[in-house]
Amino acid sequence: MAVTQKPFELPGKSGKSSSGVFAPEGTIITSLDAVVNWCRKNSLWPMPFATACCGIELMAVGSSRFDIARFGAEVMRFSPRQCDLMIVAGRVVMKMMPVLQRIWLQMPEPKYAISMGACASSGGIFDTYAVVQGVDRFIPIDVYIPGCPPRPESILRAVMDMQSKVQKGGSTLGTQGLPELRQMEEQLIQIRARNTLPGIATERSDESRFGYRLPGGESLVGRSETL
Amino acid sequence: MTTTKSSRPTPDATLARIRKRCGEGFFSVSSHLDNLRLHVPPEKLVELTTRLRDEFGFHLTELGGADYLGYPGRSSASHRFEVHYVLLNYETAERLILKTGVSDPDPVLPTLVPVWAGADWLEREVFDMYGIVFQGHPDLRRILMPEDFRSFPLRKDYPLRGRGERHNFERVTREDS
C-alpha cells in the first residue's frame, strides 16, 4: 500500500515498466483482498455462545469499562444467521455439542471461532463423563484464550489477534478459512481417515473391572483421542 | 438474645407414635444425631408412606439414591443400592428418613408418585443416574442425560471419565462448513 505525495506513474502491464498513466494526488494503491479484509476485521459480529462463568466476563467486555466497540465487535447477535465470529465461552457438555455444531453450521461464510477459557479449550477441571474435552475436537477454532475465567483484557487481545489473522488470511470470495487453519484441517482429515482405537485408554482399561456389561459394545474414537 | 424452647417432638416420641399406629417389626431403626431413619422393605413402602402422609402429616422433601458397591465395611448381604426419602411435617417440624435397599441385576422399587406427586421428577433422576426402575411411574424417562445415552453414570462400576460417549461426535471441519 502506498500513499502518493505527488503524481506518480502507474506500473504498466506485464513486462512493461511504464504505462504512461499518472495517478492523481492522494491515491492509495492496494489489492482488493486487503480492502475487503480490512472491512471485515473491523466489523466482526460475535455470536456469544456463553454457557458458564466465562459468559459474565464476555458481558463485561461489552460494557463501557472495557468496551469491545473500540474494535468494532460490539454487535452481539443471538441469531447465528447474522454472525461471523463465534465465541464459545464456557464448558460444553455432550448434550450441548450437537447444538453448538448446528449453530456453527448455520453461520454464513466467512466465519471465525474463538474458544474462550480453560473449559472450552480443554475441558478444564471438568474431566467427567459428560463434558467435552475441548470444543476444537469438533469445530474449527481460530484463537484460544487461556484463563479461568479470562480477564476482559485477554478477550480484547484475542479480538485483536483475530483481526490480524483476518487481515492476513482469507480472500474476497474464499471460503477456505485462514491458511494456518487450513493446514491443520488437512492434518485432521488425514487423522480421520486412519483406523480407530477403543474409547478407553490403556492406563484406565481396568475401569470395567466390576464386569459391568458395556451397552452397545466398547466405544471407538479417532486416533487423535489417544495421540 | 433469648432462646425459645422448641415444641418439636423428639425423634423418640415420633418413633413411639409410629410404632403405636403402624405396628412394628417390619422396619429397622437407626439414628445419627437427631436423624431418625427407618429401613423399610420395598413391599411395605407404599403402605407405610400413605399412612405417614394421611395420619402423621408428613410431606416428601427429598428423594435420592446411593450405590454402595465396594463400600468399605459394608456386608455383602446388604443391598447394593439404597433409595432414601426425607420426610418433613411442616407443622410440628418432625423429620423422618425412610431408606429402602434394592439390588442387581433387576433393581425395581414401587413408585411414590401416587402418594406424593412431587416424587415424579426426583424418581426420574434416580432412574437416570442409577437405573433403578420405579414400577408404576407415569413417565419414567431420562431427565438429565441425552435420550440415546445407554449407561447409568452414577453407578460405581461406571468409569469416571465415561466410556468415550463424550467424544462420539462427528468432527465439523472447515471443509464441511
Side-chain angles (χ1 to χ4, degrees):
Chain A
M1 196 183 287
V3 182
T4 56
Q5 297 296 317
K6 52 188 178 184
F8 73 102
E9 194 177 1
L10 293 177
K13 287 180 183 173
S14 56
K16 291 179 184 173
S17 61
S18 66
S19 60
V21 180
F22 284 82
E25 200 174 337
T27 303
I28 295 174
I29 297 181
T30 181
S31 68
L32 183 60
D33 279 354
V35 177
V36 170
N37 288 335
W38 180 76
C39 296
R40 273 181 191 158
K41 79 168 185 182
N42 287 305
S43 74
L44 293 169
W45 287 27
M47 159 82 222
F49 195 89
T51 51
C53 49
C54 280
I56 303 296
E57 298 296 309
L58 192 58
M59 290 174 216
V61 181
S63 68
S64 56
R65 180 176 286 270
F66 298 99
D67 199 9
I68 203 172
R70 293 180 291 153
F71 304 91
E74 79 277 21
V75 193
M76 300 267 179
R77 288 290 155 150
F78 299 93
S79 161
R81 302 283 187 203
Q82 300 173 342
C83 297
D84 55 2
L85 173 65
M86 174 177 265
I87 301 179
V88 184
R91 69 197 89 90
V92 176
V93 295
M94 55 181 289
K95 212 171 171 181
M96 202 63 174
M97 198 66 223
V99 180
L100 176 64
Q101 284 184 331
R102 194 184 174 94
I103 289 177
W104 170 253
L105 291 173
Q106 282 175 340
M107 285 166 62
E109 292 281 356
K111 57 189 173 187
Y112 315 96
I114 289 178
S115 166
M116 174 184 169
C119 297
S121 305
S122 70
I125 60 169
F126 301 99
D127 190 6
T128 70
Y129 59 92
V131 181
V132 173
Q133 302 295 295
V135 293
D136 58 347
R137 289 164 182 265
F138 304 111
I139 63 166
I141 295 289
D142 295 288
V143 176
Y144 299 83
I145 311 178
C148 183
R151 289 279 308 159
E153 293 92 329
S154 324
I155 301 161
L156 293 179
R157 177 77 248 174
V159 171
M160 288 159 74
D161 288 348
M162 193 71 247
Q163 286 183 335
S164 67
K165 283 186 102 169
V166 172
Q167 180 68 64
K168 274 190 286 182
S171 57
T172 311
L173 300 171
T175 54
Q176 291 278 303
L178 306 175
E180 308 94 287
L181 202 72
R182 218 176 304 149
Q183 206 180 352
M184 205 177 82
E185 291 285 312
E186 278 161 19
Q187 281 178 356
L188 264 182
I189 290 164
Q190 284 174 5
I191 289 171
R192 189 159 63 171
R194 283 189 225 155
N195 292 332
T196 51
L197 290 174
I200 304 173
T202 45
E203 74 266 20
R204 42 190 168 92
S205 60
D206 67 329
E207 280 177 343
S208 54
R209 61 188 175 279
F210 291 111
Y212 188 84
R213 194 168 47 81
L214 299 180
E218 297 218 349
S219 63
L220 289 176
V221 289
R223 181 160 290 200
S224 61
E225 160 82 358
T226 45
L227 276 180
Chain B
M1 195 177 126
T2 56
T3 53
T4 51
K5 187 147 175 90
S6 168
S7 60
R8 175 179 166 186
T10 61
D12 289 340
T14 309
L15 181 60
R17 277 176 62 222
I18 293 171
R19 282 206 163 121
K20 196 175 163 195
R21 302 276 285 274
C22 307
E24 56 185 309
F26 66 89
F27 58 82
S28 60
V29 181
S30 68
S31 67
H32 173 71
L33 300 178
D34 62 344
N35 279 2
L36 176 65
R37 310 160 179 155
L38 306 188
H39 300 259
V40 188
E43 57 273 13
K44 290 280 186 182
L45 193 64
V46 175
E47 185 195 331
L48 181 65
T49 48
T50 310
R51 300 194 70 166
L52 287 174
R53 181 194 65 182
D54 294 339
E55 298 172 25
F56 293 80
F58 277 111
H59 292 80
L60 181 72
T61 55
E62 206 254 339
L63 188 166
D67 183 356
Y68 286 101
L69 184 70
Y71 192 81
R74 194 171 165 90
S75 78
S76 56
S78 43
H79 289 292
R80 175 178 169 182
F81 300 105
E82 263 187 11
V83 176
H84 58 263
Y85 307 85
V86 182
L87 311 184
L88 172 66
N89 185 327
Y90 296 149
E91 275 155 30
T92 61
E94 291 167 283
R95 280 177 194 277
L96 180 65
I97 298 165
L98 302 185
K99 285 190 169 187
T100 309
V102 67
S103 273
D104 266 347
D106 191 21
V108 177
L109 283 178
T111 181
L112 285 195
V113 175
V115 186
W116 289 293
D120 187 341
W121 283 15
L122 304 175
E123 287 184 351
R124 275 178 69 187
E125 189 182 355
V126 171
F127 165 72
D128 195 356
M129 293 292 147
Y130 298 97
I132 297 170
V133 174
F134 291 90
Q135 202 132 50
H137 190 286
D139 182 28
L140 197 64
R141 285 177 295 128
R142 286 188 177 274
I143 190 168
L144 293 172
M145 300 306 293
E147 276 175 28
D148 55 354
F149 199 79
R150 285 283 158 265
S151 308
F152 301 109
L154 285 196
R155 287 190 174 189
K156 293 293 180 203
D157 53 11
Y158 182 79
L160 192 65
R161 295 186 173 102
R163 298 207 167 89
E165 295 97 335
R166 63 185 180 179
H167 289 152
N168 280 346
F169 296 102
E170 221 174 289
R171 285 180 201 278
V172 176
T173 59
R174 271 286 165 187
E175 299 225 322
D176 304 331
S177 53

